[in-house]
């Protein structure tokens, strides 16, 4: 049964305007305030978590005055691992004004993609070698030694051996199954033979089309680093028998440092309709936060969507407009609520580049406000949360090439992210994304699977559990097409052990805005 959040916690709050921008002409709302329309605001449309745990949840935080300050950190990157000495959020060693952007040349992009193939290939082969070792562990020593011998790599092939796995070039003639390493390339303009693979060779361009006709089910995406098993009898097409892209993942542990129950509200822009700048949905959300006082409020951009034509009518700078908006937000919530604001590349106040720089506020400071770059990984009392505002899940779902795939396509998209250890594995990127490969290679890594991954986008709101990570799409607070929207409210209970599953300590509800 769908119940209204407002009916659970009191009457529906009075609608108020959170922001009234200076404009050259009045910008009235085109939706009459006195019109009797069905209002679904506050309805719970989706719930994730254990049913017994859900009965114990009180969405309204208590003991606000006695609340212990949260430990909010942004881990700094050191290779593939997160450093233990993480810095405070808002001050950490992530993207800042010292970083150059859009300086990556075609040559630099090629080098970065080559490094991605080589490093990803080593991780994939490391997993294949461990699986081979597990399979051979039950055999006798003689059979084990015979089975463990590497396939010889002919001198003319100039292949390689990665993590004890023999790798051949993609154009290597073979009638016996071999492994090849490379990056998936898709030619969308073709009706047939759309998928090819670019070799790992750094000196010569080797590209071979792929034949998946021998496989019952398969799926790949442009830019994917893969190790393929198959044959190439004629040299013009590689007949794929097996696709390997998975690596040995470092799964998240339940946050034993949590100490006490943690409540969060997550919302994503746009926050106002295209026919007004009144931010009514945001006003209602802030009223909910003031009445229920969550520990953390996470807001992701855009706050001023560049596609909204009304922003050209305001009689103030975008920076002045943004500061007025943020001041209104901070004055509308409790000082006991930590507010994390994540940037977006489509924001009027943002540089048009992804990864995106954190916003800045010049005229005021708030101790409970932190600006974060996009993407980022933030740690709250040991709970690791990954956040990106690029609609990577939808992009992966749209660009995936497959034949008879099994399972949930959204879970497959998250699986691609985790196994490629990056927030944006797709290449080439979506036409709407101003991707900087150099910045992404430094600031867009996922060293290990977080406890929660927040990926707001155009797909319908969802919550998925994968590799002990809760993947959340709160959708948009204001959908520009339907005029409706959703936000997520989250409660994290202190887990009983490090091996506790997310459903045992995480409860999430999607609520109509």
């Amino acid at each position: 049964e769908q119940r209204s959040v407002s009916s659970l916690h009191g009457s529906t709050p009075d609608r108020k305007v959170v922001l009234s921008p200076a404009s050259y002409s009045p910008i009235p709302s085109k939706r009459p305030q006195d019109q009797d329309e069905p209002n679904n605001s506050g309805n719970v449309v989706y719930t994730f978590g254990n049913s017994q745990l859900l009965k114990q949840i009180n969405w309204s935080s208590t003991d606000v005055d006695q609340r212990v300050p949260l430990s909010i950190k942004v881990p700094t990157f050191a290779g593939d691992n997160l450093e233990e000495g993480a810095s405070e959020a808002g001050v950490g060693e992530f993207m800042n004004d010292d970083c150059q952007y859009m300086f990556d040349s075609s040559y630099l992009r090629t080098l970065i993609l080559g490094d991605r193939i080589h490093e990803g290939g080593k991780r994939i082969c490391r997993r294949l070698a461990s699986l081979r070792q597990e399979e051979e562990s039950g055999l006798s020593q003689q059979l084990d030694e015979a089975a463990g011998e590497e396939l010889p790599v002919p001198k003319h092939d100039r292949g390689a051996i990665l993590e004890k796995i023999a790798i051949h070039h993609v154009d290597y003639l073979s009638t016996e199954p071999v492994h090849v390493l490379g990056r998936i390339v898709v030619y969308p303009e073709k009706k047939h033979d759309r998928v090819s693979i670019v070799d790992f060779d750094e000196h010569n361009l080797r590209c071979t089309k792929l034949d998946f006709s021998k496989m019952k089910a398969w799926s790949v995406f442009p830019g994917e680093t893969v190790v393929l098993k198959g044959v190439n009898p004629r040299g013009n097409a590689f007949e794929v028998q097996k696709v390997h892209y998975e690596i040995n993942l470092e799964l998240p542990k339940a946050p034993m440092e949590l100490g006490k129950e943690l409540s969060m509200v997550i919302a994503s822009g746009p926050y106002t309709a295209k026919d007004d700048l009144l931010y009514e949905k945001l006003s209602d959300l802030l009223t909910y936060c003031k009445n229920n006082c969550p520990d953390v409020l996470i807001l992701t951009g855009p706050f001023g969507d560049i596609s909204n034509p009304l922003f050209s009518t305001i009689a103030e700078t975008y920076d002045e407009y943004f500061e007025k908006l943020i001041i209104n937000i901070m004055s509308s919530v409790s000082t006991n609520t930590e507010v994390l604001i994540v940037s977006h590349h489509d924001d009027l106040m943002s540089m048009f580049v992804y990864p995106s720089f954190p916003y800045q506020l010049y005229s005021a400071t708030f101790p409970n406000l932190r600006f974060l770059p996009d993407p980022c990984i933030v740690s709250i009392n040991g709970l690791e949360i990954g956040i990106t505002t690029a609609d990577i899940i939808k992009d992966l779902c749209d660009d995936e090439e497959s034949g008879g795939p099994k399972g949930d396509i959204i879970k497959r998209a998250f699986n691609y992210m985790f196994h490629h250890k990056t927030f944006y594995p797709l290449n080439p990127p979506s036409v709407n994304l101003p991707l900087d490969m150099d910045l992404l290679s430094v600031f867009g890594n996922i060293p290990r699977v977080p406890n929660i991954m927040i990926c707001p986008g155009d797909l319908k709101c969802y919550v998925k559990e994968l590799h002990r990570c809760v993947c959340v799409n709160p959708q948009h607070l204001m959908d520009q097409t339907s005029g409706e929207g959703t936000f997520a409210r989250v409660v994290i209970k202190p887990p009983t052990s490090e091996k506790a599953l997310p459903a045992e300590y995480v409860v999430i509800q999607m609520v109509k805005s």
Side-chain angles (χ1 to χ4, degrees), residues 69-122:
L70 299 175
S71 173
I72 302 179
K73 300 176 181 179
V74 174
T76 54
F77 294 100
D80 290 335
N81 300 313
L82 291 180
E83 294 180 353
E84 293 298 330
S87 51
E88 289 297 326
V91 191
E93 295 179 8
F94 49 72
M95 288 185 61
N96 53 49
D97 289 339
D98 295 332
C99 299
Q100 292 182 329
Y101 61 96
M102 290 306 178
F103 276 84
D104 54 337
S105 61
S106 297
Y107 177 70
L108 181 59
R109 285 172 175 254
T110 302
L111 292 180
I112 293 173
L113 290 173
D115 290 343
R116 181 184 290 184
I117 293 176
H118 188 70
E119 294 301 321
K122 286 199 299 184

Side-chain angles (χ1 to χ4, degrees), residues 134 350 372:
E134 290 177 3
S350 175
L372 301 176

Side-chain angles (χ1 to χ4, degrees), residues 285-287 289-290 297 328-337 339 368:
L285 176 70
L286 296 176
T287 301
C289 292
K290 187 172 184 178
L297 170 62
N328 273 273
I329 290 174
M330 298 309 298
S331 62
S332 300
V333 299
S334 169
T335 56
N336 292 294
T337 296
V339 181
N368 58 327

Side-chain angles (χ1 to χ4, degrees), residues 252-267:
K253 298 178 181 178
M256 300 302 294
E257 305 171 20
L258 203 60
K260 58 172 295 185
E261 182 179 291
L262 176 70
S263 61
M264 297 189 295
V265 169
I266 306 168

